[in-house]
Each structure stands twice: as structure tokens, then as C-alpha cells.
Amino acid sequence: MSRIQATFATLKSQGKKALIPYITAGDPHPKHTVALMHALVQAGSDIIELGVPFSDPMADGPVIQRATERALVHKVGLGNVLEMVREFRLTDGDTPVVLMGYANPIEAMGQGRFAERAHEAGVDGVLIVDYPPEECQEFVGLLKAQQLDPIFLLSPTSETSRVDMIVHQAGGFVYYVSLKGVTGSKNLDIAEVGAKVQAIRGRTDLPIGVGFGVRDAATARAVADVADAVVIGSRMIQEIENSSEENLLSNVAQLTQTLRAAIDDIQK
Amino acid sequence: MQLYDMPDARGHFGPYGGIFVAETLIEALDELRAMYERYRHDPEFLAEFAYDLKHFVGRPSPVYYAERLSKKIGGAKIYLKREDLNHTGAHKVNNTIGQALLAKRMGKPRVIAETGAGQHGVATATIAARLGLECVVYMGSEDVKRQAPNVYRMKLLGATVVPVESGSKTLKDALNEAMRDWVTNISDTFYIIGTVAGPHPYPMMVRDFQAVIGIEAKEQMLEMIGRQPDAVIACVGGGSNAMGIFYPYIDLKDVRLIGVEAAGHGIETGQHAAPLTANSPAGVLHGNRTYLMQDENGQIIETHSVSAGLDYPGVGPEHAWLKDIKRAEYVAVTDDEALEAFHTLCRTEGIIPALESSHALAYAIKLAATMSPDQALLVNLSGRGDKDINTVASLAGITL
């Protein structure tokens, strides 16, 4: 059983939902990333989504763009990100790590070499925003050969036949983008999200995570009501952005605890 | 019947092109592809397009024999395809009319565009005004500074110009921002991409709308000299004017096709915008796979050219393919060479060319000198240089 499967199985047996924070590797400085990952886990995160900085983050809103720019000041590349995961794994063998990023850094390293190195470093899943399933069948094969889960996005506009095609290739969990737009957008319609997640659930056994638009305890709780996992990106990055070096870890831990409590509140 | 038959159904030109976008854009691209397939051979749509090209743009644009220039060089005769005479002053308008007519048929009341030099933005704002569409143009804040007259032109035409402050603040960042707008406003917005890049069907669709340049030129050359030129030469940033004039010539194997990239301060300095000439590796950006200027981590690097319209780190995927199959050749000329050609054309022919087109011209002048007067070169003079006079003056230390 993969780490991602084990995590969702454990949560299910406890009647809990997964909390998946996103941070950009190297933001605000590469020296903080591994410590931030551990802090996120200690404060109640179940899976860490680690962003690979890319110069042209087309699908991201201004908050994650700024995180990317801060990381790129320190020239954080895909190789450095894999090193960070390796370091994280020295003291955490259980928490799944999912890399999220864009195609070009993978193409520059080489798809096969990336898959090998990601496996060696202890990565569990890979989500490449601009690799839709039609364009990455070979890549999916390379990932699966290294026991890496290919994670795909589903959007409010994905039709049923497309959902079937995507979940057929996907592993680990599927990531439902809860609204049209870029990361960090507003105006999440929970009823609509719930209906769509329910429809997806009828077509796959994979857990369903929901992200894009989760920005506080209330939205996290509402999403946890309908999904298996809550992904929180831009709001987490804002916390990092607004912290000083001294209170960085404590602020991030506090936000994570608040979200954890909100998500667990659905059981009551 | 054309033998060359690219791209495939999902927009691949060999290993290049394709649809590399986030899931949130897939449905919009499916819709666009279906609508373009429906209308690309529709007689009514094509008639409307042709009508606007004739009556609104002023097509056909003439082919002009640059006699004084040719005699001065003493080599091959140089012919200019005068896209600079189009309404709005460049080839860009051919494509914006095609896409805007499609937007209208799709019932989209709002169009957006990215722009570098501002020519595509002006051409989009122009057709949006004519069709009564809301228009928002994204432009890197560096380019906003470099191309102030075009910014004002767009505003006069009723468009909103949004300066883009992210990344290198140039064309590629404007494209990122336009994509973000599109994914957020998909239901009412049509994204008019200005070059033969982006996800399928854009590279094919923009090429098809620009192919009028080459279709006309083939007829005009026959009329003028009774045969086709020995080479067709065009500048390449994203590569839309080059694809437009190359495409109808692809099957005519005796005609050399030469794309001229911007060597900026020189390929060896790294400060250029010539991914094909510099043998940059392939990668994925802006929805397609193509040759890209990038560092060892796969980050897109900043480009340099005196000409904002060529200042782009990638190139249309069909150019990548034509390079690989050796149907087209790609070369580069420096800022200085382009500027010299700019001045030469002003003084020998009374034509002020765009700095972009001056790159094609500079290479043509070099090549013509190695050829004989019974040979002919056709240069796509893709735009006029009025927009560039501030840049040229400031390089000469003159404040206007």
C-alpha cells in the first residue's frame, strides 16, 4: 500500500478528512522549507503538497506567483526540491509528499530521470498542471513504474466522459478544482462543489480532494463536508508572506491547527 | 491539393504543438476547436472574412520591387510584400479579424489579447471597436513604456490596457496574464492570440488566417516576374507573419523559406531572442511544446531584442517542425544589423519599416549580395515603423 493510500485508509477508519496544505518550495527562503513541512505535519496536516517553482506559473493567481518569485530569487530548481524531500524523509517516513508544478522543469530534467530521482527522494505523487492526460501517457507510465501516483485535476467544466478518462489514468487521489479561475480565487459555491464531487464519486474509488478557493476555517469545514480532502494553497502562502522569520513556523502551525479543528468539527 | 498536412487532430506538428494547459481550460479549447472546424471551410464565414480583408484592411497588399535598394546591393532583386500598408500598419489585423468574427459567431461579447510591440493589441482593439466587443489587452509594463504611442492608440479605440508587472514584464508575461483572465472569464470571453503559438487550435488557426499573405504573394510574383522567388524571407518572434507567408509555399520545394530571428546583442552574449538559431532545447510553455530559451532548471529566461515584437523566448511549434524537417532555414540578425537595414530602407525606398521587419530585411540584404540580378528574394515587410521612431531616436541619442 502506498503512503497516500495508507493515509486515506487510516483517516477513513477514524471518520476524518485529509488536510493537504500547499507551500512553494523555497518560499520564503530555501532554508525554511523542510522545517515548514515538519511544522505542517506536527500541526495536523496529512499530506504535503510541495510546489516546484516555475518562471511562468500560468494557472496561479498573484499570491502563488509571488511565492514562486521569492523562491526563484534563490534559484530553487527541481533538483533542489527533490533534495528538500529527501531531507524531509530523513525524519518523516509516513507523511505523503506530492509535487505540484509545471511541465517544463520536468522536460528539462527528462521525464524518466525525474521519475527515478523523485522515487529515490521519497516523493509519493506528482501533479503537473499543464500535462493534461492526453499529453502525458508516457509520463504516467514512467511515474507508475517508480510507484509514483499521477495526480490529475478535474474541473467544474470536465464532462463525464472526460472524468472517466482522467480517473482511469489517475492514482492516489483526484484533485477537484472547485471553481473557474486561477489559484486563490474567491466565491466558492459549496452546493455546486458538493454536487460535482458526488457525481465524481460515482465514477471512481479514488479519494477526492478539493482546492482553489478554500480560504478560512468556514470554507475548509464546508469543503470537508463534501470531499475526502481539503487542499489549502493561497491562504497558506499568505500566512508565510505575512510572517517574519521569527514567527514563520508558529504562524503556519497555528493556521494549520485552526483548519484541522474546523475539518474535524464535521464529525460532531 | 496541398501535400503538406499538419497538424494532426490534436494540434501536433511532429513532437511539437499539442494542448498543454490546465484542466480548467480544456473545455474552452474543445469548444473553440469545434467552432473553428465548423467555420474554417464555411463559405459564408470565409466570404465575410474576405470582405473585411478587402474593404476594412485594404487587401490585397501589394508586392513592391525595391529597385533602388536592389541596384545598390547589386545582387538578387528584392521584392517586398507590403503588409505595412494594411489598416493598423501590420499583418496582425488579418488574424484578429478572423478570430473576432469567430468570437461573434460564438456569442462572446468580450475579447482579450496579449501584446508585445502593441501591433496585435491595436489590431484587436480595432476590430473589437468595429464589431462592438469589449476589449482588454494585456501588455508587459516594460513594453508599455517602450511602445507608448500604441498604448494610446488602443485606448483611443476603446480598449482597456492592463500593464503586467509579473516576471520579466514583457510579452510572455502578458500571455500568462491573458491566460489567467481567460480561465476566470471563460463563459463570456474569447482570447484572441496574436501569434502561431499557444495551445491547439491557435497555431493552426492563426496560420490559416495569416496564409492570405502567402496566397496573394504567390499570385503577385507570377504576375510580376512570371515565376516564384528563389527565397521567401520573414522575421520570426512567435512567427505569425512568417507562417502566413511560408505556408502556401511549403509544397514548392524550390523556394527557400528563411526565418530571421532576433540575435539581439549577439547569440554568443546570451542576450537574444533566437531559440531556433541558438539551438535551444525543446520544452513546454504557453500551451504547446516547442523550442524554448531556458536555463538548466527549465526556467524560461529573459530575452533581448531591440524590437518588442520579436522579444519572445519561444517560437510557434510549426516553425520548430519546419526546422527539424529542414523545410525552412532559421538565421538571426543583431539589433545593430536590423537598425542599419531600417535606415537603409528609409533612405533608398521611402519606406519606414517596423524594427521587426527590419530583421528580415537585414538578412535579405546580406543574402542578395551573394546572388545574381536574375534571382529574386521576397521579403515579408510585416509592419511599418512609425511605432518605432521613439526607439530609433533614443538609440541615436535624440529626444523627440
Side-chain angles (χ1 to χ4, degrees), chain B residues 66-114:
Chain B
E67 189 173 1
R68 281 216 331 128
L69 176 66
S70 302
K71 291 203 166 138
K72 188 180 166 211
I73 300 162
K77 294 189 173 71
I78 294 179
Y79 293 83
L80 306 176
K81 177 62 172 163
R82 298 291 307 275
E83 292 297 300
D84 61 312
L85 293 177
N86 291 341
H87 179 40
T88 74
H91 72 290
K92 292 289 186 189
V93 72
N94 303 326
N95 166 55
T96 60
I97 288 178
Q99 291 196 47
L101 291 176
L102 200 55
K104 206 177 77 175
R105 275 176 167 65
M106 290 171 72
K108 310 276 185 185
R110 179 174 181 268
V111 295
I112 58 170
E114 83 295 336

Side-chain angles (χ1 to χ4, degrees), chain A residues 4-181:
Chain A
I4 293 177
Q5 280 175 320
T7 298
F8 277 106
T10 306
L11 287 167
K12 195 170 182 184
S13 71
Q14 297 167 347
K16 290 168 108 178
K17 301 299 176 75
L19 174 61
I20 310 182
Y22 165 95
I23 57 171
T24 300
D27 171 41
H29 189 285
K31 69 184 177 191
H32 296 304
T33 302
V34 174
L36 273 170
M37 291 168 77
H38 287 305
L40 288 167
V41 175
Q42 278 155 20
S45 302
D46 300 299
I47 297 174
I48 305 293
E49 214 172 86
L50 192 59
V52 180
F54 178 50
S55 53
D56 293 77
M58 262 170 37
D60 285 302
V63 173
I64 294 181
Q65 285 177 50
R66 287 197 299 271
T68 298
E69 285 176 10
R70 286 191 294 269
L72 286 178
V73 167
H74 304 287
K75 306 220 178 303
V76 176
L78 182 52
N80 306 110
V81 178
L82 293 174
E83 278 310 308
M84 292 170 185
V85 177
R86 184 192 304 280
E87 194 186 330
F88 173 78
R89 278 278 168 260
L90 295 175
T91 50
D92 187 331
D94 301 322
T95 310
V97 175
V98 171
L99 295 190
M100 181 167 182
Y102 292 82
N104 204 52
I106 307 269
E107 304 241 324
M109 182 177 280
Q111 293 181 346
R113 187 149 166 263
F114 164 75
E116 283 169 29
R117 287 183 60 181
H119 172 75
E120 283 164 21
V123 172
D124 300 284
V126 179
L127 195 177
I128 302 302
V129 178
D130 51 352
Y131 266 163
E134 294 92 339
E135 297 284 3
C136 69
Q137 289 182 6
E138 197 182 325
F139 182 59
V140 165
L142 292 166
L143 291 180
K144 287 182 175 171
Q146 298 291 338
Q147 290 87 49
L148 295 164
D149 282 322
I151 297 178
F152 285 102
L153 299 174
L154 290 172
S155 94
T157 55
S158 304
E159 290 172 10
T160 308
S161 59
R162 192 168 170 83
V163 171
D164 287 345
M165 187 265 289
I166 292 173
V167 299
H168 182 71
Q169 289 198 42
F173 61 96
V174 291
Y175 184 151
Y176 178 67
V177 175
S178 50
L179 39 76
K180 295 174 188 174

Side-chain angles (χ1 to χ4, degrees), chain A residues 53-58 60 65 69 72 77 104-105 107-108 129-130 132 134-135 153 155 157-158 162 166 181-182, chain B residues 10 12 18-23 26-27 166-167 172 176 180 183-184 283-286 289 294 297-300:
Chain A
F54 178 50
S55 53
D56 293 77
M58 262 170 37
D60 285 302
Q65 285 177 50
E69 285 176 10
L72 286 178
N104 204 52
E107 304 241 324
V129 178
D130 51 352
E134 294 92 339
E135 297 284 3
L153 299 174
S155 94
T157 55
S158 304
R162 192 168 170 83
I166 292 173
V182 293
Chain B
R10 295 199 60 81
H12 297 104
I19 302 174
F20 291 88
V21 296
E23 187 60 27
I26 292 285
E27 197 211 15
S166 59
K172 78 174 176 75
N176 291 335
R180 291 178 187 121
V183 74
T184 309
V284 170
L285 180 70
H286 295 152
R289 183 178 278 128
Q294 53 184 304
N297 286 326
Q299 311 296 357
I300 306 307

Side-chain angles (χ1 to χ4, degrees), chain B residues 26-282:
Chain B
I26 292 285
E27 197 211 15
L29 287 167
D30 284 348
E31 184 193 8
L32 177 60
R33 206 164 61 238
M35 292 304 270
Y36 184 57
E37 277 307 318
R38 185 169 147 195
Y39 288 115
R40 65 186 296 209
H41 303 299
D42 177 69
E44 208 174 297
F45 178 80
L46 293 175
E48 197 178 341
F49 182 47
Y51 182 92
D52 268 7
L53 289 182
K54 181 176 176 188
H55 297 279
F56 189 61
V57 177
R59 302 201 72 90
S61 67
V63 168
Y64 168 76
Y65 170 41
E67 189 173 1
R68 281 216 331 128
L69 176 66
S70 302
K71 291 203 166 138
K72 188 180 166 211
I73 300 162
K77 294 189 173 71
I78 294 179
Y79 293 83
L80 306 176
K81 177 62 172 163
R82 298 291 307 275
E83 292 297 300
D84 61 312
L85 293 177
N86 291 341
H87 179 40
T88 74
H91 72 290
K92 292 289 186 189
V93 72
N94 303 326
N95 166 55
T96 60
I97 288 178
Q99 291 196 47
L101 291 176
L102 200 55
K104 206 177 77 175
R105 275 176 167 65
M106 290 171 72
K108 310 276 185 185
R110 179 174 181 268
V111 295
I112 58 170
E114 83 295 336
T115 197
Q119 291 306 102
H120 174 58
V122 168
T124 304
T126 299
I127 191 64
R130 170 157 143 57
L131 296 178
L133 303 168
E134 183 192 343
C135 179
V136 176
V137 179
Y138 291 92
M139 189 169 186
S141 60
E142 279 298 316
D143 292 334
V144 168
K145 275 184 250 164
R146 287 196 281 192
Q147 305 287 342
N150 269 346
V151 173
Y152 188 56
R153 246 174 229 131
M154 287 184 264
K155 289 181 181 169
L156 286 174
L157 292 160
T160 304
V161 179
V162 181
V164 176
E165 300 288 349
S166 59
S168 59
K169 305 178 174 58
T170 59
L171 178 57
K172 78 174 176 75
D173 310 285
L175 221 151
N176 291 335
E177 208 54 39
M179 284 276 184
R180 291 178 187 121
D181 178 313
W182 196 31
V183 74
T184 309
N185 301 295
I186 261 172
S187 51
D188 73 342
T189 298
F190 188 106
Y191 180 14
I192 299 185
I193 293 186
T195 193
V196 286
H200 182 62
Y202 283 103
M204 173 180 82
M205 181 168 69
V206 176
R207 174 200 72 191
D208 293 350
F209 289 140
Q210 291 293 1
V212 65
I213 305 171
I215 292 167
E216 287 175 2
K218 268 168 88 173
E219 286 178 20
Q220 292 164 322
M221 290 308 294
L222 269 183
E223 279 169 26
M224 289 184 81
I225 62 170
R227 65 179 183 90
Q228 297 303 334
D230 296 278
V232 175
I233 303 172
C235 64
V236 176
S240 70
N241 88 81
M243 259 343 290
I245 198 164
F246 286 179
Y247 183 56
Y249 276 101
I250 289 179
D251 281 347
L252 303 184
K253 305 281 186 207
D254 293 338
V255 180
R256 287 170 68 188
L257 304 177
I258 304 173
V260 185
E261 297 185 299
H265 294 315
I267 299 284
E268 69 289 349
T269 66
Q271 294 179 311
H272 59 84
L276 295 174
T277 312
N279 291 315
S280 301

